[in-house]
């Protein structure tokens, strides 16, 4: 489907953010004509905690790619953004932090399968492989498993990256398991899509007195407030990073400080061209 009109961002700088996000102190930056960066600080008033959110709102017509780190190594999200000439980027899905340094989820780039879901065959290692991000002719889609074994191999797209848990599908907030990964607060990265094709990338900081981080149910509320009807959790924790025009705009947690210097090397990223 082709959309010829430039759609006005849902959250123009003159308008308040919606729902649970309205209590934050927000800044708004037009990165390009089609990309807007929103940054919100909450002083104890988002889920009764200090929080810091970065939201990229990307209108239809902007090109997305999924990119891997260099073979046999890991790279920071900012390094991947620079190497691939990206306007913006967020970290991708889960990976092995030790040798062999690679994705532990299904990864396809430019039609070539680079990694399977860890376990292979019919085995499904749980919610972390419940959904997928796919790019087709530059457009980004957020998909949920239909329950078939190796469903991701049948996705008709150049780039595919599985992740999870799935947060929203067909406009509904999905039930998630009551396990510590979901119920504890952590830095989080998520991708969502609105019915008009607008893509929303979100990074929530965490593990700091200035930003508690989000549980999965809290992240679902954020994605719903942002108008998404499809949404997927990506890798989080120390991996959570957002880069805009070569600058890390969130506060990655790996160095234990609330600054832009704590990036963790990762195995893949979603980039905006």
């Amino acid at each position: 489907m082709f959309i010829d009109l430039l759609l006005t961002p849902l959250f123009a700088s003159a308008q308040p953010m919606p729902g649970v996000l309205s209590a934050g102190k927000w800044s708004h930056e037009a990165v390009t004509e089609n990309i807007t960066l929103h940054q919100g600080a909450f002083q104890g008033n988002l889920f009764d905690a200090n929080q810091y959110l970065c939201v990229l709102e990307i209108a239809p017509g902007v090109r997305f790619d999924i990119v891997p780190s260099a073979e046999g190594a890991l790279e920071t999200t900012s390094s991947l953004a620079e190497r691939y000439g990206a306007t913006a980027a967020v970290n991708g899905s889960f990976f092995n932090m030790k040798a062999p340094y690679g994705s532990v989820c299904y990864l396809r780039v430019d039609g070539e399968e680079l990694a399977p879901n860890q376990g292979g065959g019919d085995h499904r290692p749980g919610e972390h492989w419940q959904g997928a991000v796919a790019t087709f002719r530059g457009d980004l889609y957020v998909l949920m498993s239909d329950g078939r074994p190796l469903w991701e191999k049948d996705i008709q797209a150049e780039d595919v990256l599985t992740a999870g848990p799935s947060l929203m599908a067909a406009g509904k907030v999905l039930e998630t398991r009551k396990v510590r990964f979901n119920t504890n607060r952590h830095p989080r990265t998520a991708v969502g899509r609105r019915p008009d094709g607008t893509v929303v990338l979100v990074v929530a900081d965490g593990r700091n007195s200035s930003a508690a981080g989000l549980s999965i149910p809290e992240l679902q509320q954020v994605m719903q407030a942002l108008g998404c009807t499809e949404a997927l959790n990506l890798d989080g924790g120390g991996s959570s990073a957002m880069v805009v025009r070569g600058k890390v705009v969130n506060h990655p947690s790996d160095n234990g400080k609330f600054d832009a210097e704590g990036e963790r090397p990762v195995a893949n990223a979603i980039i905006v061209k």
Side-chain angles (χ1 to χ4, degrees):
M1 178 174 66
F2 294 91
I3 299 176
D4 297 322
L5 298 176
L6 174 63
L7 299 173
T8 302
L10 183 62
F11 310 129
S13 58
Q15 299 175 345
M17 297 293 270
V20 297
L21 304 179
S22 62
K25 182 178 180 181
W26 289 91
S27 64
H28 311 270
E29 175 187 351
V31 180
T32 71
E33 185 180 27
N34 294 344
I35 304 172
T36 305
L37 171 65
H38 311 276
Q39 294 174 276
F42 297 79
Q43 300 299 316
N45 53 0
L46 181 58
F47 309 121
D48 297 319
N50 294 337
Q51 303 285 359
Y52 194 91
L53 304 183
C54 293
V55 178
L56 269 180
E57 187 181 25
I58 304 157
V62 175
R63 180 180 178 85
F64 292 86
D65 283 306
I66 297 168
V67 297
S69 62
E71 186 174 356
L74 299 174
E75 294 182 60
T76 61
T77 301
S78 58
S79 172
L80 286 163
E82 180 180 11
R83 185 153 69 87
Y84 288 97
T87 301
V90 295
N91 64 289
S93 195
F94 307 96
F95 61 95
N96 185 352
M97 292 181 65
K98 301 179 180 179
Y101 300 109
S103 174
V104 296
C105 53
Y106 182 83
L107 176 62
R108 184 196 308 166
V109 174
D110 294 332
E112 180 183 359
E113 294 184 1
L114 301 182
N117 282 329
Q118 183 172 297
D122 293 344
H123 178 59
R124 287 274 138 335
E127 290 177 320
H128 289 181
W129 287 263
Q130 191 179 46
V133 182
T135 65
F136 179 70
R137 296 178 180 174
D139 291 335
L140 182 144
Y141 298 89
V142 180
L143 309 173
M144 182 177 174
S145 170
D146 58 11
R148 292 181 297 112
L150 303 179
W151 70 285
E152 65 277 3
K153 290 180 174 288
D154 293 331
I155 297 172
Q156 300 298 303
E158 294 92 356
D159 300 341
V160 179
L161 180 65
T162 56
S166 289
L167 305 174
M168 300 185 67
K172 296 182 179 180
V173 172
L174 301 172
E175 185 176 351
T176 57
R177 294 184 303 146
K178 290 180 173 60
V179 296
R180 284 184 298 175
F181 179 86
N182 294 342
T183 59
N184 288 357
R185 284 175 168 168
H186 297 287
R188 303 281 186 179
T189 303
V191 55
R193 184 177 160 108
R194 298 184 189 138
D196 65 10
T198 297
V199 172
V200 180
L201 299 174
V202 175
V203 167
D205 289 329
R207 298 178 181 171
N208 191 279
S209 60
S210 297
L214 301 179
S215 68
I216 288 295
E218 290 166 347
L219 181 61
Q220 288 175 304
Q221 291 186 57
V222 168
M223 301 308 287
Q224 185 178 39
L226 290 169
C228 298
T229 52
E230 325 293 328
L232 179 67
N233 179 65
L234 300 170
D235 190 14
S239 300
S240 285
M242 180 180 287
V243 178
V244 178
R245 292 197 178 282
K247 178 184 176 182
V248 178
V249 296
N250 74 307
H251 307 88
S253 64
D254 252 19
N255 65 350
K257 301 178 181 179
F258 200 64
D259 60 22
E261 305 301 319
E263 271 192 283
R264 174 184 294 176
V266 297
N268 48 69
I270 300 170
I271 66 170
V272 188
K273 298 298 285 288

